[in-house]
Each structure stands twice: as structure tokens, then as C-alpha cells.
Amino acid sequence: MTLPTVPLIVERGIAKTTARDIAAAAGVSLAAIGYHFGSKDRLVTEALVETLGTGIGDDLENLVLEGTGASLLDGFATLVNDVPSVFAANREALLASLENVVHVLRDSSESRKLHEAVAEGYRGMAKNLVLAHPELDERQANSIARLYYVLTQSLGILWLLDSEALPSGDELAEAVATIGGSHTVPNS
């Protein structure tokens, strides 16, 4: 069963969207939500995970692929420099996702789907890193994917708070290069 929940949730927010609202928007009975998803909370989590995975997730993976042929450091800088445009294109969905994460953290029975989504995010990012940088082995790709994923999640929250306060990709790449002992700064 597919329900048109994301536009409704984005418009009203999770707390103000009732199961009855979702059922009415979908043209189904309230019981259908319980039957197919178990609860409104599970439906909301699944809908947001799917929407953000195909929205923000795909956009981030495309940014990784745009780094094909560039050095890893330059690709990193470009990704971080371009990620605010991904957030801007998905602002309301990002906000709804953040609201849902807080809700799920308060109800551990709903966290399984988010754990799976994080693992899938790592795998998708690692796969595209290997496509963009075939010299990477699986361990390296997984490590970089985790860094990218954690960083973009954090940047998303910071962007929602104050988009002007984000560090640039060039600044973060310089920090990574310095930590790694390299004095090579990415091309600006």
C-alpha cells in the first residue's frame, strides 16, 4: 500500500499530522494504516526514509560520482561545497526527517527502519565511491562513505539552523589534509 504521506507531513509536520489525515489524503480507511504498517509512526518513518533515500540520498550519491577523475580530496571538497544546494532543494523533507528522528529516538520500537536506512546509506555511498575512484579497496570506500554520511547528516542539521554558518568544502578538505599529514590543499 502506498500512501501520499510525505507532502502532508512536510506541510503540517509530523506532530500535527494524524493517522486520520493520512487515511483521508490516501482515500483509505483508518484501519488500512494499521493493517499495512502497524502504526502511523511506522508509516511516517518508512515514507520519509524512502523519499529522502531517493531525494537527498540520490543527490548526494550523484555528487560523489561527479568527483570521478578528481583526487579524493578535491572530490570531498566539491561534495561539501555542493551539498547546501541539495539541502535547499529538499528543505522541508529534511526538516520532517529531523522531526521524525527525534520522535523515533523517543520510541526505540520504531528505530529498526532508521538503522536499516543508515546502513543502506553507507552501502550506496561506498558503491559510488568505488565507481568514482576505482583505486579504493572495499575497506577504504566504506570508511570514506561513513565519513561522508556522518558529515552530510551533521551539515544538514547545521544548514537548517543557519545556512550561512556552514564551513566550506575547501576548509574541511584542508582540515582533513592537515590531519592526514598532507600539506596539499584541494584546488579551489
Side-chain angles (χ1 to χ4, degrees):
M1 169 183 222
T2 303
L3 297 175
T5 57
V6 174
L8 187 63
I9 293 164
V10 165
E11 179 184 314
R12 293 185 183 176
I14 293 170
K16 293 181 182 176
T17 303
T18 67
R20 191 172 311 286
D21 295 333
I22 294 168
V28 299
S29 71
L30 193 55
I33 292 172
Y35 177 77
H36 290 284
F37 295 96
S39 69
K40 170 200 156 193
D41 294 339
R42 177 143 315 133
L43 167 68
V44 167
T45 297
E46 290 192 24
L48 287 172
V49 164
E50 182 177 322
T51 299
L52 295 175
T54 57
I56 294 174
D58 288 353
D59 289 348
L60 291 174
E61 289 178 6
N62 287 333
L63 288 178
V64 170
L65 291 174
E66 288 176 16
T68 301
S71 72
L72 282 166
L73 202 55
D74 285 341
F76 172 81
T78 299
L79 178 127
V80 175
N81 283 332
D82 292 347
V83 81
S85 64
V86 172
F87 298 149
N90 296 280
R91 183 190 186 285
E92 294 303 318
L94 186 62
L95 192 56
S97 177
L98 183 58
E99 183 181 1
N100 190 52
V101 166
V102 170
H103 179 76
V104 167
L105 289 173
R106 295 185 188 277
D107 180 3
S108 62
S109 66
E110 293 297 319
S111 66
R112 189 186 102 261
K113 185 68 176 177
L114 287 182
H115 289 285
E116 292 169 3
V118 169
E120 184 59 35
Y122 290 155
R123 283 190 295 273
M125 191 74 74
K127 178 182 152 203
N128 284 335
L129 277 160
V130 169
L131 290 173
H133 303 282
E135 72 277 9
L136 293 175
D137 64 32
E138 185 177 343
R139 184 188 58 77
Q140 292 168 323
N142 286 326
S143 294
I144 295 168
R146 287 174 179 270
L147 173 65
Y148 280 12
Y149 193 87
V150 167
L151 187 60
T152 56
Q153 295 295 311
S154 301
L155 289 172
I157 293 168
L158 291 174
W159 182 87
L160 284 168
L161 291 170
D162 181 2
S163 63
E164 300 301 315
L166 290 184
S168 73
D170 299 322
E171 290 171 311
L172 293 181
E174 183 175 0
V176 168
T178 302
I179 289 169
S182 169
H183 298 290
T184 305
V185 180
N187 299 331
S188 297

